[in-house]
Amino acid sequence: MKLSLNQATVKRLTLAEAVDGCVRAGIPGIGLWRDRVQEIGVEAAAKIIGASGLKVTSLCRGGFLTATAAEERAAALADNRKAVLEAAGVGTDVLILVVGGLPTGSRDLPAARTAVADAIAELAPFAAENGVKLAIEPLHPMFCADRAVVSTLGQALDIAEAFPAEQVGIVVDTYHVWWDPQLPESIARAGRERRILSYQECDWILPLPADTLLGRGHVGDGHIDFARIRELVTAAGWRGFAEVEIFNQEIWDADGDQTIATVRARHEALSLASGS
Amino acid sequence: MKLSLNQATVKRLTLAEAVDGCVRAGIPGIGLWRDRVQEIGVEAAAKIIGASGLKVTSLCRGGFLTATAAEERAAALADNRKAVLEAAGVGTDVLILVVGGLPTGSRDLPAARTAVADAIAELAPFAAENGVKLAIEPLHPMFCADRAVVSTLGQALDIAEAFPAEQVGIVVDTYHVWWDPQLPESIARAGRERRILSYQECDWILPLPADTLLGRGHVGDGHIDFARIRELVTAAGWRGFAEVEIFNQEIWDADGDQTIATVRARHEALSLASGS
């Protein structure tokens, strides 16, 4: 499996610095974030990427589609259309969606989930016209209230199947799905239905920090059996990259080159051990 | 729905104090914890309960059944047999199982899950002989690595269905299952298969504290739609208690009577609002 560095792993680096770090480390892919693209503009970002020879494996992220108030909803849709154009502009066909939590003050989870499906229905044709696929990312259920009401791969696939596989798919992020008792069936289904658009790696470490968003570890530092999950996605037909995306304050505070070296070393050790 | 106070909600109170608090507040049920039972002995506990007229809705808890090392596994089984006898001794037929996380150093989640099913197979007949049912409690997936490799109701039901409904069932704890996209189907299935042994309430509040075990809130303080879940369990045939179990350091530090009054007030408000 080829390695891609999601630039959130080296959060302090600019796009140019992250690209340069990947090139120097011999990492062939990169996942981009919108804030770092917007900082220099899509055209400049595309130029840097083009010169580097790196493959852009995803753009993070669109989403936050659960608002029901008309104005808020329209703003979210407009921002997602902008994200689609940015994805196309930097040369990736994968826009990752973190779908959003419960709207403020609401406890109506089924309604929020319906709102997500409705918003994707509005965005998918526009994305397709621009050569971009929407990749629904189920987040760990501990983020259900505040970040993503899509909590499992099965649920993401249920939403995706209303659309052509050329328009909407899913993300398999080990951190978010490793615990799922239905993981083998859901990954196999995702492959069968041609829905896997991104495979991300990041380890589950304990204890969780006060900000649970930042409790993620380098591959190998935690409790996830990556060899097993790689086997599942490979058996499901995935021939793309393993994109490493780690949210962790300590890792963010570390030297970027050091982090990139660790990501690469862990990837190689895992590939060797798992034969993938 | 009748109210039961799980005594972990008033962690600082002894069994006698918790029982007394329930009686004075007009709460008809109580869920007991083994440490508070053992502190005075099963016989003394049974006498206090008997005199109070309270219904014991559960004993917490058995479980931690994922060890594979022979000695550790034997010790866990022995402790669970003891828990069965304690449950029978205090007059409840429901022993709640928190099944345990990954064994130390292991990343083999399927193996840990198999170990749980195997251990339950050894315990279930013994429990049945003593008039006690084993209630598998799926815990929120954020506890998968360290506390419970059973993460969903569907998974708990898949384990339970290998046994007669008179021996093994499941717990529906709102805190652990509220996010589950398959909640309606799983609760309906649990009812159909006569597996619901306990219904527990506790709210999901944010942010999670540093010790995520203690991040639970009074009913109404968080993001869970209790009326919806009560409707689901009632439609599934549940005619038992709503047992309120809250792990929260602030609530534990509060005055016991005050906590009991809040639990009761929230229960009454919810029952009024939801017609259950």
Side-chain angles (χ1 to χ4, degrees):
Chain A
M1 217 175 266
K2 282 167 294 182
L3 174 60
S4 171
L5 178 78
N6 184 290
Q7 74 172 128
T9 307
V10 286
K11 195 181 169 68
R12 286 189 314 168
L13 303 191
T14 64
L15 188 141
E17 289 167 344
V19 164
D20 180 56
C22 285
V23 169
R24 283 186 289 112
I27 294 176
I30 190 163
L32 299 181
W33 273 69
R34 294 180 67 198
D35 55 342
R36 288 301 193 178
V37 170
Q38 289 169 357
E39 191 174 47
I40 54 173
V42 173
E43 258 179 73
K47 202 170 285 178
I48 292 170
I49 294 290
S52 74
L54 292 183
K55 160 87 175 171
V56 180
T57 50
S58 72
L59 179 69
C60 293
R61 59 187 192 217
F64 295 93
L65 299 168
T66 50
T68 43
E71 203 171 327
E72 221 181 319
R73 185 167 187 274
L77 289 172
D79 185 57
N80 275 275
R81 286 194 194 94
K82 194 171 159 222
V84 163
L85 298 178
E86 288 166 1
V90 297
T92 179
D93 61 350
V94 177
L95 176 65
I96 291 182
L97 303 185
V98 169
V99 302
L102 287 167
T104 309
S106 166
R107 295 189 177 93
D108 193 342
L109 197 48
R113 287 167 168 167
T114 301
V116 169
D118 291 348
I120 289 175
E122 290 200 36
L123 293 169
F126 176 80
E129 280 162 28
N130 288 282
V132 173
K133 297 170 188 171
L134 303 176
I136 305 170
E137 179 165 10
L139 254 54
H140 193 285
M142 74 180 169
F143 300 117
C144 184
D146 54 344
R147 303 192 83 78
V149 294
V150 172
S151 308
T152 64
L153 275 176
Q155 184 193 5
L157 289 167
D158 286 346
I159 296 173
E161 74 179 358
F163 308 94
E166 292 67 37
Q167 292 185 6
V168 180
I170 57 88
V171 180
V172 178
D173 183 325
T174 56
Y175 186 81
H176 295 303
V177 304
W178 74 279
W179 58 271
D180 188 347
Q182 296 172 326
L183 193 60
E185 302 89 301
S186 290
I187 288 179
R189 176 184 164 196
R192 215 165 45 238
E193 300 177 356
R194 297 179 299 123
R195 300 288 178 176
I196 307 178
L197 298 181
S198 170
Y199 169 63
Q200 296 185 331
E201 289 183 338
C202 169
D203 215 339
W204 179 269
I205 54 172
L206 289 174
L208 295 171
D211 183 346
T212 47
L213 193 62
L214 307 185
R216 311 186 192 181
H218 276 297
V219 168
D221 282 349
H223 298 278
I224 297 179
D225 182 352
F226 290 95
R228 173 175 171 253
I229 302 181
R230 282 193 173 192
E231 208 174 292
L232 292 173
V233 295
T234 302
W238 179 249
R239 298 293 176 268
F241 287 68
E243 182 178 314
V244 175
E245 183 191 50
I246 307 172
F247 290 10
N248 181 308
Q249 193 61 53
E250 253 176 75
I251 293 175
W252 288 347
D253 292 341
D255 171 71
D257 275 350
Q258 183 51 54
T259 296
I260 290 173
T262 303
V263 166
R264 203 195 136 167
R266 298 300 176 89
H267 177 77
E268 285 176 357
L270 174 60
S271 296
L272 211 66
S274 67
S276 64
Chain B
M1 218 175 264
K2 283 166 294 182
L3 175 59
S4 172
L5 178 79
N6 184 291
Q7 74 171 129
T9 308
V10 286
K11 196 182 167 70
R12 285 189 315 168
L13 302 191
T14 64
L15 188 142
E17 290 166 345
V19 164
D20 181 55
C22 286
V23 169
R24 282 185 290 112
I27 293 175
I30 190 164
L32 300 180
W33 274 69
R34 294 180 68 198
D35 56 341
R36 288 300 193 178
V37 170
Q38 289 169 357
E39 190 174 48
I40 54 173
V42 173
E43 258 180 73
K47 203 171 284 180
I48 292 170
I49 294 290
S52 74
L54 293 184
K55 161 87 174 172
V56 180
T57 50
S58 73
L59 179 68
C60 293
R61 59 185 193 216
F64 294 93
L65 300 167
T66 50
T68 42
E71 203 172 325
E72 221 181 318
R73 184 167 189 273
L77 290 172
D79 185 57
N80 276 275
R81 286 193 194 93
K82 195 171 158 221
V84 164
L85 299 178
E86 289 166 0
V90 297
T92 181
D93 61 350
V94 177
L95 175 64
I96 290 181
L97 303 185
V98 169
V99 303
L102 287 167
T104 310
S106 167
R107 295 190 178 93
D108 193 342
L109 198 48
R113 286 167 168 167
T114 300
V116 169
D118 290 347
I120 289 175
E122 289 200 38
L123 292 169
F126 176 81
E129 281 161 28
N130 288 282
V132 173
K133 296 169 188 170
L134 303 177
I136 305 170
E137 179 166 10
L139 254 53
H140 193 284
M142 75 181 168
F143 300 118
C144 185
D146 54 344
R147 306 192 80 78
V149 294
V150 173
S151 307
T152 65
L153 276 175
Q155 183 193 6
L157 289 167
D158 286 346
I159 296 173
E161 75 179 358
F163 309 95
E166 292 68 36
Q167 292 185 5
V168 178
I170 57 88
V171 181
V172 178
D173 184 325
T174 55
Y175 186 80
H176 295 302
V177 303
W178 73 279
W179 58 272
D180 188 347
Q182 296 173 326
L183 194 61
E185 303 88 302
S186 290
I187 289 179
R189 174 184 167 198
R192 217 165 44 237
E193 299 179 355
R194 296 178 302 120
R195 300 287 178 177
I196 307 179
L197 298 180
S198 171
Y199 168 63
Q200 297 186 329
E201 289 183 340
C202 171
D203 215 339
W204 179 268
I205 54 172
L206 290 175
L208 295 172
D211 182 347
T212 47
L213 193 62
L214 308 185
R216 311 186 193 181
H218 277 296
V219 168
D221 282 349
H223 299 278
I224 297 179
D225 182 352
F226 291 95
R228 172 174 172 254
I229 302 182
R230 281 194 175 193
E231 210 173 292
L232 293 173
V233 294
T234 302
W238 179 248
R239 297 294 176 269
F241 288 68
E243 184 178 313
V244 175
E245 184 191 48
I246 307 172
F247 291 10
N248 180 309
Q249 192 62 52
E250 252 177 75
I251 294 175
W252 289 347
D253 291 341
D255 171 71
D257 275 349
Q258 186 49 56
T259 297
I260 291 173
T262 303
V263 166
R264 205 196 134 167
R266 298 299 176 88
H267 177 78
E268 285 175 358
L270 173 61
S271 296
L272 212 66
S274 67
S276 63

